[in-house]
Amino acid sequence: QVQLAESGGGLVQAGESLKLSCVHSGPTGSRYPVGWFRQASGKEREFVGAITWTSSVSLAESVEDRFAISRDNAKNTVYLQMNRLKPEDTANYYCAAAFFAPPSLFNQARGYDYWGQGTQVTVSS
């Protein structure tokens, strides 16, 4: 019931910044948290951060000093600002909506019901 689409990925050098966008749409009047995940080649999907409808943010400890999440409900868009990027940040980045899943699973992939197609971020040294 929720459609999401990520954009803003690309190739950058280590130390540079990149801002990803996630445009989402659900049933009229619906409100739901949105999470960001990433998956590197050959690895499991990893939690990056999440944001509630009222803009409460949670970030993984591995990125909390470099990344930030915000949202503009009027534009149905969630953003992921990534600073001081490292080669290990290279991955396909996904946004997802927690429409039915319980809040206790906010930092797990199984806590989200709908997913975008992903946008690739590649960081070179």
Side-chain angles (χ1 to χ4, degrees):
Q1 291 185 306
V2 181
Q3 294 180 305
L4 308 99
E6 308 90 341
S7 63
L11 175 64
V12 297
Q13 297 183 18
E16 297 292 325
S17 298
L18 201 61
K19 187 175 183 179
L20 306 183
S21 297
C22 172
V23 177
H24 59 95
S25 62
T28 300
S30 62
R31 301 178 178 183
Y32 41 83
V34 172
W36 284 98
F37 290 78
R38 64 186 183 185
Q39 187 167 23
S41 180
K43 297 184 178 180
E44 298 297 320
R45 192 161 297 187
E46 176 188 22
F47 173 74
V48 176
I51 186 169
T52 69
W53 185 263
T54 54
S55 296
S56 293
V57 175
S58 294
L59 289 166
E61 292 184 358
S62 60
V63 302
E64 62 182 357
D65 60 336
R66 298 184 294 119
F67 291 7
I69 299 176
S70 61
R71 72 187 301 167
D72 185 337
N73 292 335
K75 296 182 178 180
N76 289 326
T77 303
V78 174
Y79 305 95
L80 176 64
Q81 177 67 51
M82 303 183 292
N83 302 312
R84 303 193 305 281
L85 285 162
K86 305 174 181 179
E88 50 262 47
D89 293 319
T90 295
N92 200 4
Y93 283 71
Y94 300 87
C95 63
F99 198 78
F100 294 110
S104 60
L105 302 178
F106 77 96
N107 61 347
Q108 301 179 44
R110 66 192 186 105
Y112 295 82
D113 310 292
Y114 302 97
W115 295 80
Q117 295 300 307
T119 184
Q120 180 66 36
V121 173
T122 302
V123 184
S124 65
S125 58

